Coordinates of all heavy atoms in Angstrom, one line a residue:
F1 N 42.2 19.2 62.2 CA 42.0 20.7 62.4 C 41.3 21.0 63.7 O 41.4 22.2 64.1 CB 41.2 21.2 61.2 CG 42.0 21.5 60.0 CD1 42.5 20.4 59.3 CD2 42.1 22.8 59.5 CE1 43.2 20.6 58.1 CE2 42.9 23.0 58.3 CZ 43.4 21.9 57.6
G2 N 40.7 20.0 64.3 CA 40.0 20.3 65.6 C 38.8 21.1 65.6 O 38.4 21.6 66.6
V3 N 38.2 21.4 64.4 CA 37.1 22.3 64.3 C 35.9 21.5 63.7 O 35.4 20.5 64.3 CB 37.4 23.5 63.5 CG1 36.3 24.6 63.7 CG2 38.7 24.1 63.9
Y4 N 35.4 21.9 62.5 CA 34.2 21.3 61.9 C 34.1 21.7 60.5 O 34.5 22.8 60.1 CB 32.9 21.7 62.6 CG 31.7 21.0 62.1 CD1 31.5 19.6 62.5 CD2 30.7 21.6 61.4 CE1 30.4 18.9 62.0 CE2 29.6 20.9 61.0 CZ 29.4 19.6 61.3 OH 28.3 18.9 60.9
G5 N 33.6 20.8 59.6 CA 33.4 21.1 58.2 C 34.3 20.2 57.3 O 35.0 19.3 57.8
A6 N 34.2 20.5 56.0 CA 35.0 19.7 55.1 C 35.3 20.5 53.8 O 34.7 21.6 53.7 CB 34.2 18.4 54.7
Y7 N 36.2 20.0 53.0 CA 36.6 20.8 51.8 C 36.7 19.8 50.6 O 37.0 18.6 50.7 CB 37.8 21.5 52.0 CG 39.0 20.7 52.2 CD1 39.8 20.2 51.2 CD2 39.5 20.4 53.5 CE1 40.9 19.4 51.4 CE2 40.6 19.6 53.8 CZ 41.3 19.1 52.7 OH 42.4 18.3 52.9
I8 N 36.5 20.3 49.4 CA 36.9 19.7 48.2 C 37.8 20.6 47.4 O 37.6 21.8 47.3 CB 35.6 19.5 47.3 CG1 34.6 18.5 48.0 CG2 36.0 18.9 45.9 CD1 35.1 17.1 48.1
C9 N 38.9 20.0 46.9 CA 39.9 20.8 46.1 C 40.0 20.1 44.8 O 40.0 18.9 44.6 CB 41.2 20.9 46.8 SG 41.3 22.0 48.2
G10 N 40.2 20.9 43.7 CA 40.4 20.4 42.4 C 40.5 21.5 41.4 O 40.9 22.6 41.7
S11 N 40.0 21.2 40.2 CA 40.0 22.2 39.1 C 38.9 23.3 39.3 O 38.0 23.0 40.0 CB 39.9 21.5 37.7 OG 38.5 21.0 37.6
R12 N 39.1 24.4 38.6 CA 38.0 25.4 38.7 C 36.8 24.9 38.1 O 35.6 25.2 38.5 CB 38.5 26.7 37.9 CG 39.6 27.4 38.6 CD 39.9 28.7 37.9 NE 41.1 29.4 38.5 CZ 42.3 29.2 38.2 NH1 42.6 28.4 37.2 NH2 43.3 29.8 38.8
T13 N 36.9 24.1 37.0 CA 35.7 23.5 36.4 C 34.9 22.6 37.4 O 33.7 22.6 37.5 CB 36.1 22.7 35.2 OG1 36.7 23.6 34.2 CG2 34.8 22.1 34.5
L14 N 35.7 21.7 38.1 CA 35.1 20.9 39.1 C 34.3 21.7 40.1 O 33.1 21.4 40.5 CB 36.1 20.0 39.8 CG 35.6 19.3 41.1 CD1 34.7 18.2 40.7 CD2 36.8 18.7 41.9
I15 N 34.9 22.8 40.7 CA 34.3 23.5 41.7 C 33.1 24.3 41.2 O 32.0 24.4 41.8 CB 35.3 24.5 42.3 CG1 36.5 23.7 43.0 CG2 34.6 25.4 43.4 CD1 36.1 22.7 43.9
R16 N 33.2 24.8 40.0 CA 32.0 25.5 39.3 C 30.8 24.5 39.2 O 29.6 24.8 39.4 CB 32.4 26.0 38.0 CG 33.2 27.3 38.0 CD 33.6 27.7 36.6 NE 32.4 27.9 35.7 CZ 32.4 27.7 34.4 NH1 33.6 27.4 33.8 NH2 31.4 27.9 33.7
W17 N 31.1 23.3 38.8 CA 30.1 22.2 38.6 C 29.5 21.9 40.0 O 28.2 21.8 40.0 CB 30.8 21.0 38.0 CG 29.8 19.8 37.8 CD1 29.7 18.7 38.6 CD2 28.9 19.7 36.8 NE1 28.8 17.9 38.1 CE2 28.2 18.4 37.0 CE3 28.5 20.5 35.7 CZ2 27.3 18.0 36.1 CZ3 27.5 20.0 34.8 CH2 26.9 18.8 35.0
L18 N 30.2 21.8 41.0 CA 29.7 21.5 42.3 C 28.8 22.6 42.9 O 27.7 22.4 43.4 CB 30.8 21.2 43.3 CG 31.6 19.9 43.0 CD1 32.8 19.8 44.0 CD2 30.8 18.7 43.1
V19 N 29.3 23.9 42.6 CA 28.4 25.0 43.1 C 27.1 25.0 42.4 O 26.1 25.4 43.0 CB 29.2 26.3 42.7 CG1 28.3 27.5 42.9 CG2 30.4 26.5 43.7
N20 N 27.0 24.6 41.2 CA 25.8 24.6 40.4 C 25.0 23.3 40.6 O 23.7 23.3 40.4 CB 26.1 24.7 38.9 CG 26.3 26.2 38.5 OD1 25.4 26.9 38.3 ND2 27.6 26.5 38.5
K21 N 25.6 22.2 41.0 CA 24.9 20.9 41.0 C 24.8 20.2 42.4 O 24.0 19.3 42.5 CB 25.6 20.0 40.0 CG 25.4 20.4 38.6 CD 24.0 20.2 38.1 CE 23.9 20.5 36.6 NZ 22.5 20.3 36.1
A22 N 25.7 20.5 43.3 CA 25.8 19.7 44.6 C 24.7 20.1 45.5 O 24.8 21.1 46.2 CB 27.1 19.8 45.2
R23 N 23.7 19.2 45.6 CA 22.5 19.5 46.4 C 22.8 19.8 47.9 O 22.3 20.7 48.6 CB 21.5 18.4 46.3 CG 20.9 18.3 44.9 CD 20.1 17.1 44.7 NE 18.8 17.1 45.4 CZ 17.7 17.6 45.0 NH1 17.7 18.2 43.7 NH2 16.6 17.6 45.7
P24 N 23.8 19.0 48.6 CA 24.0 19.3 50.0 C 24.6 20.7 50.2 O 24.5 21.3 51.3 CB 25.1 18.2 50.3 CG 24.8 17.1 49.4 CD 24.4 17.8 48.1
L25 N 25.3 21.2 49.2 CA 25.8 22.6 49.2 C 24.7 23.6 49.0 O 24.5 24.6 49.7 CB 27.0 22.8 48.3 CG 27.5 24.2 48.2 CD1 28.5 24.5 49.4 CD2 28.1 24.6 46.9
I26 N 23.9 23.4 47.9 CA 22.9 24.3 47.5 C 21.8 24.5 48.5 O 21.4 25.6 48.7 CB 22.4 23.9 46.1 CG1 23.4 23.9 45.0 CG2 21.2 24.8 45.7 CD1 23.0 23.2 43.7
Y27 N 21.4 23.4 49.1 CA 20.2 23.5 49.9 C 20.5 23.4 51.4 O 19.7 23.0 52.3 CB 19.3 22.3 49.6 CG 18.8 22.4 48.1 CD1 19.2 21.6 47.1 CD2 18.0 23.5 47.7 CE1 18.8 21.7 45.8 CE2 17.5 23.6 46.4 CZ 18.0 22.7 45.5 OH 17.6 22.8 44.2
S28 N 21.8 23.8 51.8 CA 22.1 23.9 53.2 C 22.5 25.3 53.7 O 23.1 26.0 52.8 CB 23.3 22.9 53.5 OG 22.9 21.6 53.4
T29 N 22.2 25.6 54.9 CA 22.7 26.9 55.4 C 24.2 26.9 55.6 O 24.8 25.9 55.9 CB 22.0 27.1 56.8 OG1 20.6 27.2 56.6 CG2 22.5 28.4 57.4
A30 N 24.8 28.0 55.3 CA 26.3 28.1 55.4 C 26.7 28.0 56.8 O 26.0 28.2 57.8 CB 26.7 29.5 54.8
L31 N 27.9 27.5 57.0 CA 28.5 27.4 58.3 C 28.6 28.7 59.0 O 28.7 29.8 58.4 CB 29.9 26.8 58.2 CG 30.1 25.3 57.9 CD1 31.5 25.0 57.6 CD2 29.6 24.5 59.0

């Protein structure tokens, strides 16, 4: 992509879980 960042794709349940539990997401400033 030539830019910066990363993504996770999967089920809605997986993404909801990560939003609630993934510390690098929760405790980092947004891009």
Side-chain angles (χ1 to χ4, degrees):
F1 281 66
V3 193
Y4 186 70
Y7 64 88
I8 296 292
C9 286
S11 68
R12 291 187 183 88
T13 299
L14 168 68
I15 300 307
R16 285 176 55 208
W17 181 255
L18 295 176
V19 168
N20 281 275
K21 293 290 186 177
R23 294 169 70 87
L25 177 84
I26 295 168
Y27 298 110
S28 292
T29 298
L31 285 168

